[in-house]
Amino acid sequence: VTALKESDVEMQAINRINELLQTCTVKEEAYKVITLMAGDLFDLRPGAVAIVHPEDQHLETVSRWGGEAQMEAIFKMQDCWAIRRGQPHEVSGSGDGLPCTHFSTQPDGGTYCLPLTVQGETLGLLTLTGKSAQADGTERNYHALAQSMGEAVKLSLSNLRLREKLKEQATHDSLTGLFNIRYLDEYLPRELHRAARAESPLCIAMLDLDHFKQLNDTLGHHAGDGMLRDVGALLSETLRQSDMAIRYGGEEFLVVLPDSSLADTMQCVEQIRTGISAIVIPEANDRVGQMTVSVGIAMAGEHGTTARELIRAADNALYSAKQGGRDRVVVYSG
């Protein structure tokens, strides 16, 4: 009867964790839920959860509960035998078994590592240490509890990752990695409002690659796509963190520069213009010349107060740059 009651309490706790995790909208919320709920679930016996960063395949510990922090804050996937083997890995309290090296010190009482895997992809790792890591029949079996919690955690992480991916696809250009025009509609009015309240300058620059159609027609779309990617990379490297580069459409880009005067904006844009001219086109073979860019600049307040007015002014300045012979920067002049 006691065992059944404990099992019922545990299942209610697992259901509660699952419910809370499914209502989280960002990973940071999920980490807080795991920390708070896991402490109660495991009677404050030590444990932790780490997540995998896909870009460089390292793990970061994002949640800890009970006892001292014994798991490293950041470690490699190969440091854990459970992740290597793709199945739970236990080291007994007597030290039997291969110890994982992602613990700063080997915990007394043993360790239990559970990989959090979805469709063959490892999303993270759940670990228990001390008495909670034991499953010898004399102590409460926390392994089954860890596996139930692991199911809830990995489902939440998988859903949050999918949500982030869909959000990124909705606001980013897949070719260049820059933000797209959908994000501009949300971002620029907000920045204009902020600049007006702070009485700080804000400029935008509209960039259009010259004779881009000739590049596509002569060398093919793969060369054109390569050029667009290179321009996107150049913008990301040249601009400040506070600036925003957006692929406006086709071979057009729009740059928003908060807290930037006209003089500072022209200096930045001139650096971008010369950088684009220096991009090497591997397939060219003298069939096309170096790529150049025409740029139109507009300043908030002086050339427009709304996003639509400012973009129209920058576009008119860009048209003047094209009419003036291309490969130049023009500031809007009413």
Side-chain angles (χ1 to χ4, degrees):
V1 171
T2 301
L4 286 173
K5 286 182 178 179
E6 286 184 354
S7 178
D8 183 57
V9 170
E10 290 170 357
M11 287 308 301
Q12 289 181 24
I14 291 293
N15 290 337
R16 176 66 173 159
I17 291 175
N18 190 53
E19 176 189 343
L20 288 172
L21 287 175
Q22 293 310 308
T23 58
C24 294
T25 57
V26 294
K27 290 178 180 178
E28 288 70 22
E29 288 180 342
Y31 304 155
K32 291 180 181 178
V33 169
I34 294 169
T35 301
L36 292 173
M37 300 299 292
D40 293 337
L41 188 63
F42 292 100
D43 297 331
L44 290 179
R45 297 183 187 275
V49 167
I51 62 161
V52 174
H53 288 271
E55 57 274 10
D56 58 5
Q57 295 295 291
H58 78 270
L59 287 98
E60 178 186 2
T61 301
V62 295
S63 177
R64 307 176 193 268
W65 60 89
E68 297 181 358
Q70 293 177 301
M71 192 152 80
E72 298 283 1
I74 295 176
F75 55 95
K76 300 176 181 177
M77 295 184 71
Q78 58 263 36
D79 292 338
C80 182
W81 285 102
I83 292 180
R84 286 200 208 181
R85 301 167 60 210
Q87 61 187 47
H89 181 74
E90 181 182 6
V91 176
S92 69
S94 60
D96 294 335
L98 288 167
C100 295
T101 58
H102 52 80
F103 294 102
S104 54
T105 57
Q106 285 303 310
D108 295 331
T111 60
Y112 179 74
C113 297
L114 177 70
L116 305 177
T117 305
V118 175
Q119 295 182 344
E121 180 186 7
T122 301
L123 302 181
L125 175 71
L126 189 155
T127 65
L128 302 176
T129 58
K131 289 185 177 181
S132 60
Q134 300 173 13
D136 56 8
T138 60
E139 294 287 340
R140 182 177 174 189
N141 188 348
Y142 288 95
H143 289 195
L145 203 56
Q147 290 171 8
S148 296
M149 179 178 166
E151 290 295 324
V153 170
K154 69 185 183 182
L155 177 62
S156 172
L157 293 177
S158 179
N159 288 341
L160 288 171
R161 180 178 289 187
L162 177 60
R163 186 179 299 175
E164 287 178 353
K165 185 176 181 180
L166 291 174
K167 183 179 180 180
E168 182 174 347
Q169 289 175 346
T171 59
H172 284 72
D173 172 57
S174 59
L175 179 63
T176 63
L178 301 178
F179 284 101
N180 60 23
I181 196 170
R182 294 191 194 96
Y183 186 74
L184 177 67
D185 293 339
E186 171 190 337
Y187 171 79
L188 185 53
R190 185 175 67 239
E191 283 300 306
L192 285 171
H193 180 68
R194 187 195 66 79
R197 289 190 61 181
E199 297 183 354
S200 61
L202 181 147
C203 293
I204 70 169
M206 185 81 77
L207 298 82
D208 186 273
L209 298 179
D210 299 324
H211 303 298
F212 185 75
K213 185 177 183 299
Q214 179 184 350
L215 174 67
N216 271 337
D217 292 344
T218 305
L219 302 179
H221 286 283
H222 66 284
D225 289 348
M227 173 57 69
L228 293 174
R229 280 192 293 268
D230 288 343
V231 172
L234 175 67
L235 292 174
S236 298
E237 293 168 2
T238 306
L239 296 174
R240 304 167 301 176
Q241 285 190 339
S242 58
D243 300 333
M244 182 65 63
I246 291 157
R247 186 180 179 195
Y248 197 70
E251 65 271 26
E252 279 191 311
F253 298 84
L254 189 142
V255 176
V256 182
L257 300 104
D259 300 310
S260 181
S261 65
L262 266 177
D264 291 337
T265 298
M266 289 186 68
Q267 183 178 0
C268 175
V269 169
E270 183 61 28
Q271 185 179 353
I272 292 171
R273 188 190 66 81
T274 56
I276 290 175
S277 298
I279 293 176
V280 176
I281 307 173
E283 305 92 336
N285 295 328
D286 297 327
R287 287 183 289 170
V288 295
Q290 289 301 113
M291 183 59 62
T292 60
V293 64
S294 300
V295 186
I297 295 176
M299 184 176 185
E302 186 173 337
H303 304 141
T305 56
T306 67
R308 180 174 294 181
E309 290 172 351
L310 203 58
I311 291 173
R312 185 186 300 120
D315 197 38
N316 287 337
L318 172 63
Y319 179 77
S320 298
K322 292 284 189 182
Q323 292 295 105
R326 297 181 171 84
D327 190 21
R328 63 194 62 219
V329 179
V330 172
V331 177
Y332 179 71
S333 59

